[in-house]
């Protein structure tokens, strides 16, 4: 029986990479994003869903469970950022970031964990960011939203542990994706200078941590947030 | 069988399944007055989560209706619908009835 993995935010960037990576590794990968995606390799199925919309999330998860019978891994990758001084940040931006990053993560976990509780097993991986521990100027709302994800990860891990579900998070450094395209090069260089290992992150750095979190032997690893690049 | 009887049977079989594993004394005999969850005893919160998750899924399968049993109305209700088998059955019946949006 192929393991079923649900990944949010698979249209581009890290999500697209993870969808391809795990589809090649014998997972049935179900992805979602607000918009559609082009042709993808076999073993990948796509839903057009905004993770901040409750009804859409519920319908998608129910449909996946009805068709596949189980969901083994949830990767809460969908995220939005906005680089802006707090005095110049409109409330609509704040709501959008909190909606996708916090409400979206919560909703996906709530619905998928219902299936995992029934299975009495499951692996959930959330996405934090080094912007939180680094207290990056210009990323106040993004960092705050991911601080919420950090906290959710720790508490959810405790609430779901009795059902043999683990919840962990990976906190990437900047990776060359759209999310950092609008950030000035100078800012990125300053940020990299604060890492222990001074280079841009790569996709494989992220999948490496996820591989560890989701392997069968990691059933004693939960509530952990692993920041990359030596940030803590 | 009426919807009421069907829902009762569903709740009863799920409580029996829970009980096979966890041996709650209060669930040895199940009728409408049996306490499910609350200050007067019944199952613990971990079991309540399992019960609700199972019931949501089975109600969906059986009645073709997606119901969230732990929605805002249920959680804020002064008299919890999860109090007794009777209140739980009534609550589910109102959710699956055609008039409920």
């Amino acid at each position: 029986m192929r393991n079923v993995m649900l990944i949010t935010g698979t249209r581009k960037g890290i999500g697209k990479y993870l969808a391809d990576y795990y589809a090649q590794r014998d997972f049935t990968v179900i992805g979602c994003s607000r918009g559609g995606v082009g042709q993808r390799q076999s073993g990948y199925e796509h839903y057009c869903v905004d993770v901040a919309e409750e009804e859409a999330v519920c319908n998608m998860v129910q449909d996946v469970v009805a068709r596949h019978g189980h969901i083994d891994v949830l990767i809460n990758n969908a995220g939005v950022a906005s680089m802006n001084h707090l005095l110049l940040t409109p409330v609509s931006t704040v709501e959008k970031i909190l909606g996708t990053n916090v409400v979206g993560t919560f909703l996906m976990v709530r619905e998928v964990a219902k299936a995992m509780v029934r299975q009495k097993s499951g692996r959930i991986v959330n996405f934090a960011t080094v912007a939180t521990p680094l207290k990056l100027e210009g990323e106040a709302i993004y960092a705050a939203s991911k601080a919420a994800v950090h906290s959710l990860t720790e508490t959810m891990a405790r609430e779901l542990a009795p059902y043999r579900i683990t919840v962990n998070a990976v906190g990437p450094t900047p990776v060359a994706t759209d999310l950092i395209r609008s950030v000035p090069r100078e800012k990125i260089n300053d940020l990299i200078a604060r890492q222990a290992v001074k280079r841009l992150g790569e996709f494989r750095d992220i999948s490496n941590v996820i591989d560890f979190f989701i392997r069968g032997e990691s059933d004693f690893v939960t509530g952990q947030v692993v920041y990359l690049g030596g940030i803590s | 069988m009426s919807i009421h009887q069907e829902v009762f049977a569903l709740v009863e079989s799920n409580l029996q399944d829970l009980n096979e594993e966890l041996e709650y004394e209060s669930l040895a005999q199940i009728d409408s007055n049996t306490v499910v969850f609350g200050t007067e005893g019944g199952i613990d919160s971990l079991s309540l989560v399992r019960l609700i998750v199972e019931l949501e899924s089975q109600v969906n399968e059986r009645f073709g209706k997606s119901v969230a049993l732990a929605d805002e109305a249920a959680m804020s209700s002064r008299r919890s619908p999860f109090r007794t088998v009777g209140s739980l059955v009534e609550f589910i019946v109102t959710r699956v009835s055609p008039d409920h949006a």
Side-chain angles (χ1 to χ4, degrees):
Chain A
M1 190 169 63
R2 275 164 76 99
N3 281 327
V4 177
M5 174 184 279
L6 185 46
I7 308 176
T8 64
T10 49
R11 193 170 66 82
K12 56 187 181 177
I14 296 169
K16 179 176 188 299
Y17 161 79
L18 292 175
D20 293 343
Y21 177 87
Y22 286 107
Q24 283 163 12
R25 280 161 182 77
D26 227 21
F27 279 88
T28 296
V29 177
I30 322 289
C32 72
S33 63
R34 278 172 296 180
V37 293
Q39 189 68 31
R40 292 276 177 95
Q41 61 186 291
S42 65
Y44 178 83
E45 300 165 16
H46 191 79
Y47 286 78
C48 287
V49 163
D50 181 343
V51 293
E53 283 180 15
E54 184 174 17
E55 199 182 342
V57 168
C58 294
N59 290 341
M60 170 177 68
V61 174
Q62 276 171 20
D63 196 53
V64 172
V65 173
R67 289 192 305 111
H68 295 280
H70 55 108
I71 301 175
D72 304 287
V73 182
L74 166 65
I75 311 280
N76 272 314
N77 160 76
V80 288
S82 171
M83 183 85 188
N84 219 345
H85 192 282
L86 75 96
L87 299 188
L88 304 176
T89 304
V91 164
S92 58
T93 303
V94 176
E95 285 168 346
K96 193 169 147 232
I97 293 174
L98 294 179
T100 301
N101 298 2
V102 184
V103 178
T105 297
F106 162 74
L107 272 178
M108 288 299 305
V109 171
R110 191 188 72 186
E111 291 309 307
V112 171
K114 288 178 182 175
M116 291 177 170
V117 164
R118 298 185 76 201
Q119 297 159 203
K120 296 197 184 93
S121 70
R123 294 275 190 272
I124 296 172
V125 181
N126 293 329
F127 267 69
T129 169
V130 296
T132 305
L134 290 178
K135 297 152 186 74
L136 285 187
E137 299 99 324
E139 303 250 15
I141 304 305
Y142 178 61
S145 74
K146 293 297 191 174
V149 171
H150 184 133
S151 169
L152 278 173
T153 300
E154 292 174 333
T155 310
M156 285 169 163
R158 289 179 167 267
E159 291 195 10
L160 296 176
Y163 309 104
R164 295 189 215 147
I165 300 166
T166 68
V167 188
N168 294 288
V170 57
T173 62
V175 178
T177 66
D178 281 359
L179 206 68
I180 66 160
R181 206 173 44 187
S182 60
V183 184
R185 183 68 219 181
E186 201 179 298
K187 277 258 175 206
I188 298 291
N189 289 343
D190 287 351
L191 204 160
I192 290 172
R194 293 171 69 184
Q195 295 169 192
V197 183
K198 299 183 197 316
R199 64 163 169 84
L200 264 183
E202 291 181 19
F203 290 142
R204 65 176 172 83
D205 299 320
I206 298 162
S207 52
N208 176 46
V209 176
I210 297 176
D211 282 342
F212 168 66
F213 284 149
I214 68 175
R215 55 198 269 198
E217 295 85 343
S218 295
D219 60 343
F220 205 44
V221 178
T222 194
Q224 305 303 308
V225 181
V226 172
Y227 291 108
L228 291 167
I231 304 283
S232 56
Chain B
M1 206 192 282
S2 71
I3 290 184
H4 199 279
Q5 286 167 319
E6 265 190 79
V7 172
F8 182 89
L10 213 59
V11 171
E12 185 183 40
S13 76
N14 273 285
L15 285 173
Q16 281 165 346
D17 286 349
L18 264 183
N19 209 28
E20 255 175 49
E21 206 178 310
L22 301 165
E23 296 181 359
Y24 285 105
E25 243 172 69
S26 59
L27 298 181
Q29 282 275 309
I30 296 170
D31 59 37
S32 325
N33 296 320
T34 303
V35 172
V36 176
F37 183 77
T39 48
E40 307 112 75
I43 63 179
D44 65 15
S45 58
L46 289 180
S47 300
L48 181 69
V49 170
R50 273 175 61 184
L51 178 68
I52 290 175
V53 164
E54 282 296 340
L55 284 173
E56 277 184 4
S57 167
Q58 290 175 23
V59 164
N60 188 6
E61 269 166 37
R62 172 61 195 84
F63 298 97
K65 201 159 180 177
S66 172
V67 291
L69 297 179
D71 67 6
E72 227 155 295
M75 300 323 268
S76 62
S77 161
R78 274 209 308 179
R79 288 178 69 74
S80 161
F82 310 116
R83 211 167 58 248
T84 63
V85 169
S87 66
L88 181 53
V89 169
E90 285 305 325
F91 176 66
I92 297 173
V93 168
T94 59
R95 292 303 156 105
V96 297
S97 72
D99 314 329
H100 192 83

